Amino acid sequence: MSRLHSVLAVGVLGVTCLTARVQADDKDTIAYRQHIMKAMNEQSAALGQILSTVAPDDNAVAHLNAIALAASLALKAFEPKVSGGESKPEIWSNWPDFSQRMNEFAQKTAAVAKIANEQGKDAALGNVLDALTCKSCHDKYRAEKK
Amino acid sequence: MSRLHSVLAVGVLGVTCLTARVQADDKDTIAYRQHIMKAMNEQSAALGQILSTVAPDDNAVAHLNAIALAASLALKAFEPKVSGGESKPEIWSNWPDFSQRMNEFAQKTAAVAKIANEQGKDAALGNVLDALTCKSCHDKYRAEKK
């Protein structure tokens, strides 16, 4: 986490001038959306372990909330038209399709999280695979680096 | 995300037997806690970008909530006494200290998230560095793999 702590050290100064204009270069923009997608990936992987019964399901509701929260942020992080990372340029050349998929993903994961919060984890886990449409979007818009 | 999707494919079967006993081996236990810590790391890194003004602060409240949510899960994921990954064995030999630190971390991040939700991001960001005590704990309990 040394990278984070370098950033936070800078942040000690930055926090005194939060109203300063954001100066994001392309590298920052790519890093920011990657943080969101990776956080979502890790939370989804934890949920996957629960679904395959190799992790206890105590935290299932929390993981669903975390996925929905990250999903709600994801589209906006791609709005700056900056190719790079694992993003294919088709994200921006097919923006209406990409943004529709991302909005649907956010809506579906929010709906499953709502079920989890109101009816409990078992009700939600039965509906979760329909919400996690990651693969169809990655197949089209992600150039995965192995 | 192919690993996730393999897991989710297993999950299609798994979801039909959610009441089955969890059969987590040591590798699963380590992977599960790593997913939680990595999710927290990515959300913290996104927040770090905001603090250093290289990312817009629109999502600051969401990142703070995501960090608090992951922090609330972290300690329990270390309860199984399974060395490996980046965890030093001192986690379990000094469990009272480790668990106290993790509980304080969860409490502090929850408090900052509460400020964010009730008073807005600017109020919260001014208090966040005191809550993010990651480094002191990592120095003692994490053997970071570069």
Side-chain angles (χ1 to χ4, degrees):
Chain A
M1 198 117 107
S2 54
R3 179 186 44 142
L4 167 61
H5 287 99
S6 311
V7 172
L8 286 181
V10 176
V12 176
L13 303 174
V15 81
T16 61
C17 54
L18 275 175
T19 54
R21 185 162 35 168
V22 172
Q23 298 199 321
D25 63 19
D26 287 356
K27 194 176 152 194
D28 297 324
T29 299
I30 294 167
Y32 184 71
R33 71 186 181 222
Q34 287 181 328
H35 292 316
I36 292 173
M37 299 306 285
K38 286 181 184 175
M40 190 153 57
N41 186 38
E42 296 296 339
Q43 291 286 358
S44 300
L47 187 71
Q49 286 192 288
I50 291 172
L51 288 170
S52 58
T53 70
V54 299
D57 65 359
D58 314 47
N59 302 328
V61 176
H63 293 307
L64 290 166
N65 281 320
I67 293 166
L69 187 56
S72 75
L73 310 180
L75 178 59
K76 194 171 173 58
F78 286 91
E79 282 181 0
K81 191 176 174 178
V82 179
S83 292
E86 299 188 346
S87 298
K88 290 188 184 173
E90 285 79 1
I91 287 175
W92 295 280
S93 58
N94 293 338
W95 185 258
D97 177 66
F98 179 78
S99 58
Q100 184 183 341
R101 286 165 181 262
M102 286 291 252
N103 281 324
E104 283 176 2
F105 177 68
Q107 287 161 9
K108 284 186 175 183
T109 52
V112 175
K114 189 167 184 282
I115 292 172
N117 292 317
E118 293 177 356
Q119 301 172 42
K121 61 179 183 294
D122 291 343
L125 290 174
N127 292 295
V128 74
L129 293 173
D130 179 53
L132 292 178
T133 53
C134 320
K135 186 175 186 303
S136 64
C137 211
H138 285 166
D139 286 349
K140 194 163 179 182
Y141 292 114
R142 181 189 193 189
E144 190 169 10
K145 291 181 181 165
K146 302 293 180 187
Chain B
M1 198 117 107
S2 55
R3 180 186 45 139
L4 166 62
H5 288 101
S6 311
V7 172
L8 287 180
V10 176
V12 176
L13 303 173
V15 82
T16 63
C17 54
L18 276 175
T19 54
R21 184 161 37 168
V22 172
Q23 298 200 321
D25 63 18
D26 287 356
K27 194 176 151 193
D28 297 325
T29 299
I30 294 167
Y32 183 70
R33 71 185 181 223
Q34 287 182 328
H35 291 317
I36 292 172
M37 298 305 284
K38 286 181 184 175
M40 191 152 57
N41 185 37
E42 296 296 339
Q43 292 285 0
S44 301
L47 187 69
Q49 287 192 289
I50 291 172
L51 288 170
S52 58
T53 69
V54 299
D57 65 358
D58 314 47
N59 302 328
V61 175
H63 293 308
L64 290 166
N65 280 321
I67 293 166
L69 186 56
S72 74
L73 309 179
L75 178 60
K76 195 173 172 60
F78 286 90
E79 281 181 0
K81 191 177 174 177
V82 179
S83 292
E86 299 188 346
S87 298
K88 288 188 184 174
E90 286 78 2
I91 287 175
W92 295 280
S93 59
N94 293 339
W95 185 258
D97 177 66
F98 179 79
S99 58
Q100 184 184 340
R101 286 165 180 262
M102 286 292 252
N103 281 324
E104 283 176 1
F105 177 67
Q107 287 161 8
K108 284 186 175 182
T109 52
V112 175
K114 187 167 184 283
I115 292 171
N117 291 317
E118 293 176 356
Q119 300 172 42
K121 60 179 183 296
D122 290 343
L125 290 175
N127 292 295
V128 73
L129 293 173
D130 179 55
L132 293 178
T133 53
C134 320
K135 185 174 186 304
S136 65
C137 212
H138 286 166
D139 286 349
K140 195 164 179 183
Y141 293 115
R142 181 189 192 190
E144 189 169 9
K145 291 181 180 165
K146 303 292 179 185

